[in-house]
Amino acid sequence: GPGKTNCPVEATITLIGAGGMSFGPTMVNDLVHTPALAGARLVLHDVNEERLARAYRFAAKLNAASGAPLRLDLSADPAVALAGADFCISSAEFGRYRYWRQDYEIPNRHGARQINGENGGPGAVFHSLRSIKNTLSICASIEEHCPDAFLINLSNPMSRVTLAINRGTRVANVGMCHEGPIGVVRIAKLLRMSAKHLQGRASGINHFTFFTDLVDTRTGEDLLPRVRELFAKPVFDYSPRTVPFWKAMMKPVLLAGLADQIYSPLVAHMVREYGLVPCSVDSHIGEYLPFALDVGPYHPTHMDFFERFDAATERFTTWAADTTLPLPLHRVGHSLEEVIPIIEARWTGEPARIMAVNVPNRGYLPDVVDGAIVEVGATVDGDGIHPDEMPPLGEPLAGWVATQVALQDLVVRAALEHDPDLAYQAVVEDPCSPADEAACRAMFDELMGLQAAELPF
């Protein structure tokens, strides 16, 4: 089992929500490229049988192209899919874009100031409630069929869902997100360096972490002063004149992906105004900042980009799963995700450095309340996850985080206690909600009416 070296048995890993496009294909690819887990059994599980079958065809092709290191299985039945699992990876969500559009558009129509409505803002209260309800039902299945399994949760809103798992279940777990590693790559490109020479440490809460260290591993040079100098340059001024150019960039899906990483007036503002270097881009950090929409001349609707990107990924994987053309799938290297490295370290006992884990705060961030879900680096080995003890966040960052931590608590209590009044309170207290309580009430009632079936009360 986990933690023993030279295990005679191989790991069993169940991928829950395997039909989804955000993580499914990536997890299979990373497993195939992890020699220490060769022989592992990977079980794909999804309640949508058609998407599950497609995911399986794609996984089988990827596995075969790499010399079949995995034993693949699939099942739509949780009892079968979870039996004997050592690890569960969960990234399940129902009707993602249909509901995300409601979360984004309805509050904004009532006067909310949301940049995204996914992880912060009043729309995210509803996203959280749906996601927590769904994830807790998955945890109930894990408790029933594989109670000793270790759960890696990928479902957003990360900090709130992770808090609900820790408060509402007995499942051993960690929340994982790729923003930290992607942030290192983005900054490496800006500095015209190879990301392999950059080592970063960051802390905060999910989608709102900031670099505390950024080092050139060849020289030991602290690169944060260079990043701050870079963002002081006029190219990061984003004048209103450039808006037509950025709007044009947002049209084709591949360019939009690039623009999402480059167009960042809010990131530039955070660096210039506060000296804080964020791991994430505007669309993520802006969810937690009431002044996000006041910075920079233009803010794209990122939801539209993600919907188009997922649709394009879905078209590609459907084609790749079914085409008879030989594809060089085995040539795609390991992704930036840190999920499979955690499983490898837990299983083999070989310690690994992980840039970002979402865990309950146990003094890791001294100026964040204990028990809140924070995102920090960690060392992982056969005994589990050992998060880093980080310096205090300091003001004003600690204050912004405290606001979000209070909302984490309210939203999770609303879900666990089946109490819509607590959810309404979270909407009123969100910094991106309208100041007018009547507008909050109207927005809340409208979303309650539309989403009643997926909410935990």
Side-chain angles (χ1 to χ4, degrees):
K4 299 193 186 76
T5 42
N6 309 322
C7 312
V9 289
E10 298 307 338
T12 295
I13 301 158
T14 301
L15 184 54
I16 301 164
M21 287 299 110
S22 295
F23 290 101
T26 311
M27 291 303 125
V28 179
N29 178 61
D30 287 357
L31 257 175
V32 160
H33 287 94
T34 305
L37 292 171
R41 178 168 169 257
L42 176 64
V43 186
L44 305 184
H45 172 52
D46 203 291
V47 290
N48 181 324
E49 300 209 18
E50 187 188 338
R51 294 181 73 177
L52 177 62
R54 179 188 61 201
Y56 183 80
R57 292 195 303 277
F58 183 79
K61 194 169 264 197
L62 194 56
N63 193 37
S66 307
L70 304 177
R71 290 188 300 130
L72 280 178
D73 269 320
L74 79 164
S75 179
D77 177 352
V80 175
L82 293 168
D86 299 294
F87 301 96
C88 297
I89 304 170
S90 174
S91 67
E93 197 159 336
F94 286 113
R96 182 178 183 207
Y97 290 103
R98 177 162 61 101
Y99 287 127
W100 189 355
R101 198 159 285 286
Q102 293 174 5
D103 295 343
Y104 177 74
E105 290 176 353
I106 291 168
N108 284 8
R109 201 175 68 233
H110 286 283
R113 291 173 55 73
Q114 296 187 122
I115 202 165
N116 220 9
E118 190 195 12
N119 297 293
V125 172
F126 284 84
H127 184 202
S128 304
L129 293 168
R130 297 192 310 274
S131 211
I132 289 169
K133 180 183 179 179
N134 191 27
T135 304
L136 290 182
S137 75
I138 289 167
C139 288
S141 296
I142 290 171
E143 287 179 332
E144 185 179 349
H145 303 297
C146 54
D148 298 329
F150 185 75
L151 169 65
I152 298 169
N153 169 53
L154 303 171
S155 294
N156 279 330
M158 178 57 66
S159 53
R160 298 170 185 187
V161 173
T162 304
L163 184 62
I165 296 168
N166 282 290
R167 277 198 193 164
T169 81
R170 296 186 305 282
V171 176
N173 72 92
V174 68
M176 294 299 297
C177 176
H178 51 215
E179 285 295 312
I182 290 174
V184 170
V185 170
R186 184 188 315 111
I187 286 182
K189 284 193 166 70
L190 288 172
L191 295 175
R192 300 200 167 93
M193 282 176 65
S194 162
K196 69 170 184 280
H197 301 310
L198 229 69
Q199 195 168 28
R201 291 198 338 149
S203 62
I205 57 170
N206 180 242
H207 287 187
F208 199 60
T209 53
F210 297 82
F211 287 105
T212 55
D213 308 78
L214 201 59
V215 176
D216 183 333
T217 52
R218 296 164 301 182
T219 62
E221 183 199 351
D222 171 15
L223 296 169
L224 282 174
R226 269 178 63 189
V227 175
R228 293 186 183 109
E229 276 167 37
L230 180 75
F231 275 101
K233 292 185 174 171
V235 67
F236 293 100
D237 289 349
Y238 301 107
S239 74
R241 290 202 309 284
T242 64
V243 171
F245 167 76
W246 290 110
K247 283 188 168 167
M249 276 274 281
M250 292 292 176
K251 290 206 168 72
V253 75
L254 288 173
L255 281 181
L258 187 64
D260 180 58
Q261 295 290 305
I262 301 171
Y263 178 74
S264 45
L266 187 60
V267 167
H269 174 81
M270 297 302 276
V271 178
R272 292 170 171 192
E273 200 67 23
Y274 304 105
L276 293 166
V277 178
C279 292
S280 285
V281 288
D282 285 22
S283 58
H284 286 340
I285 64 170
E287 299 224 77
Y288 305 120
L289 297 167
F291 55 78
L293 296 175
D294 303 324
V295 175
Y298 158 67
H299 291 283
T301 306
H302 291 269
M303 170 185 64
D304 292 342
F305 156 64
F306 282 114
E307 187 163 24
R308 283 158 44 220
F309 185 77
D310 264 22
T313 310
E314 190 149 348
R315 283 195 298 275
F316 171 75
T317 43
T318 302
W319 174 79
D322 298 331
T323 182
T324 52
L325 289 172
L327 297 176
L329 292 174
H330 57 291
R331 293 191 184 277
V332 180
H334 202 293
S335 77
L336 294 171
E337 302 287 345
E338 298 184 298
V339 173
I340 305 305
I342 281 191
I343 292 177
E344 179 184 5
R346 292 284 317 255
W347 188 255
T348 63
E350 203 53 51
R353 273 296 304 158
I354 300 293
M355 190 177 164
V357 296
N358 285 268
V359 291
N361 191 26
R362 299 279 175 257
Y364 311 130
L365 285 178
D367 52 352
V368 176
V369 67
D370 241 44
I373 301 299
V374 294
E375 190 169 283
V376 293
T379 303
V380 181
D381 58 24
D383 296 326
I385 292 175
H386 312 287
D388 298 340
E389 296 195 1
M390 297 297 287
L393 294 176
E395 292 301 340
L397 183 51
W400 292 324
V401 167
T403 300
Q404 294 304 320
V405 164
L407 290 168
Q408 270 183 30
D409 177 64
L410 266 179
V411 169
V412 170
R413 279 177 51 212
L416 294 179
E417 296 167 28
H418 314 293
D419 185 346
D421 293 339
L422 288 171
Y424 173 64
Q425 197 183 329
V427 165
V428 171
E429 290 182 17
D430 194 287
C432 299
S433 287
D436 172 28
E437 205 155 321
C440 287
R441 175 46 76 187
M443 159 197 1
F444 184 82
D445 291 346
E446 190 173 340
L447 282 164
M448 279 278 286
L450 285 167
Q451 301 184 8
E454 304 299 339
L455 298 174
F457 28 73

